[in-house]
């Protein structure tokens, strides 16, 4: 799944992006407030990590504009501003979580995993679809207790489908979370990855919904 990381500190941004990528996310970085507001309003992201002190627009203003435009992606504020009044302002603007710097990158990744899981309606760290299981904290995928070996693309797509199990997801929605904003999104390559997942998980696990997209079935 794709994450928008809004952080003007280049070193911290690189550390966070590396940790998110290692956890199976596709991370896009913005270091400017106006650019971040534009990306959040025009691209599709599973969640955003948002600093408050940014060049151009501040984080609270960005978040207020997103929410005012009906953009409901989960947002984690990551900032050095730890006063209670700053936290109140962040949550009132529409934040889903608030982390004060300095923070371990592992904690930030865990919090993103948690708010994504809860936003999809899953209370537990493990998301199950029959015998198929995704551990959202470790990224491990097992079927009938046996680890399933996946490429980065396969894991990213399967994670998105698992978070939305039993729901129909369109090819456009899947491609938006599989490729970065600058990539040429080719539905044919998406179908190739779906085919590889079916060979690894069983042909009936991912259903084709003709003319719409796909559905990962939780029932065996």
């Amino acid at each position: 799944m794709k994450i928008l990381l809004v952080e003007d500190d280049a070193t911290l941004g690189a550390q966070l992006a590396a940790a998110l990528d290692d956890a199976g996310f596709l991370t896009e970085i913005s270091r400017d407030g106006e650019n971040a507001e534009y990306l959040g309003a025009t691209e599709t992201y599973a969640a955003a990590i948002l600093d408050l002190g940014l060049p151009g627009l501040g984080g609270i203003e960005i978040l207020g504009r997103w929410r005012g435009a009906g953009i409901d992606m989960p947002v984690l504020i990551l900032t050095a501003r730890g006063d209670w009044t700053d936290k109140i302002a962040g949550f009132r603007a529409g934040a889903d979580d608030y982390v004060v710097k300095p923070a371990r990158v592992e904690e930030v990744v865990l919090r993103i995993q948690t708010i994504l899981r809860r936003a999809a309606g899953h209370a537990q760290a493990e998301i199950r679809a029959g015998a198929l299981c995704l551990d959202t904290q470790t990224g491990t995928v097992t079927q009938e207790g046996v680890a399933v070996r996946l490429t980065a693309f396969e894991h990213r797509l399967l994670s998105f489908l698992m978070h939305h199990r039993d729901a129909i997801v369109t090819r456009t929605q899947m491609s938006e979370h599989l490729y970065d904003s600058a990539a040429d999104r080719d539905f044919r390559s998406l179908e190739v990855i779906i085919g590889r997942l079916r060979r690894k998980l069983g042909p009936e696990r991912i259903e084709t919904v003709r003319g719409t997209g796909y559905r990962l079935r939780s029932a065996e």
Side-chain angles (χ1 to χ4, degrees):
M1 291 186 286
K2 190 164 63 176
I3 304 296
L4 174 60
L5 172 58
V6 186
E7 173 58 63
D8 64 337
D9 183 319
T11 300
L12 178 57
Q15 293 172 345
L16 285 168
L20 288 163
D21 290 347
D22 286 344
F25 294 104
L26 175 62
T27 311
E28 294 187 359
I29 303 176
S30 176
R31 298 190 176 92
D32 174 83
E34 293 183 356
N35 174 256
E37 191 273 334
Y38 174 78
L39 288 175
T42 58
E43 297 291 335
T44 300
Y45 298 95
I49 300 172
L50 180 63
D51 192 6
L52 294 186
L54 297 164
L57 294 176
I60 295 295
E61 187 174 0
I62 292 171
L63 183 52
R65 291 188 182 186
W66 286 344
R67 296 303 189 233
I71 298 168
D72 60 357
M73 68 176 170
V75 174
L76 182 151
I77 289 178
L78 178 63
T79 179
R81 300 178 187 175
D83 290 344
W84 178 239
T85 54
D86 292 316
K87 293 181 180 180
I88 291 175
F91 282 114
R92 283 180 173 171
D96 296 88
D97 202 352
Y98 195 109
V99 178
V100 178
K101 299 175 185 177
R104 294 182 64 89
V105 294
E106 295 87 353
E107 178 187 357
V108 176
V109 173
L110 282 172
R111 286 178 180 258
I112 280 291
Q113 291 168 333
T114 299
I115 64 175
L116 281 172
R117 188 179 70 245
R118 289 177 177 168
H122 304 293
Q124 303 298 322
E126 292 185 345
I127 301 176
R128 294 183 176 274
L132 184 64
C133 176
L134 167 66
D135 187 322
T136 60
Q137 294 183 345
T138 65
T140 304
V141 176
T142 58
Q143 183 157 250
E144 297 182 344
V146 179
V148 181
R149 298 185 62 180
L150 301 168
T151 68
F153 275 133
E154 291 167 357
H155 188 281
R156 192 179 304 146
L157 180 55
L158 180 60
S159 177
F160 180 73
L161 290 171
M162 288 287 285
H163 277 80
H164 299 85
R165 65 183 183 188
D166 293 320
I168 298 172
V169 292
T170 67
R171 293 174 178 83
T172 298
Q173 288 173 321
M174 288 189 289
S175 67
E176 285 172 341
H177 288 278
L178 192 63
Y179 304 107
D180 62 38
S181 301
D184 182 17
R185 297 167 184 170
D186 184 355
F187 288 165
R188 289 173 297 180
S189 62
L190 182 64
E191 291 168 358
V192 169
I193 298 172
I194 290 289
R196 295 204 306 244
L197 286 173
R198 282 173 169 155
R199 287 194 292 273
K200 294 181 179 183
L201 304 176
E204 303 302 321
R205 177 65 66 188
I206 302 174
E207 175 189 2
T208 298
V209 181
R210 188 173 300 277
T212 305
Y214 299 92
R215 173 169 47 205
L216 187 140
R217 300 171 57 179
S218 59
E220 297 296 342

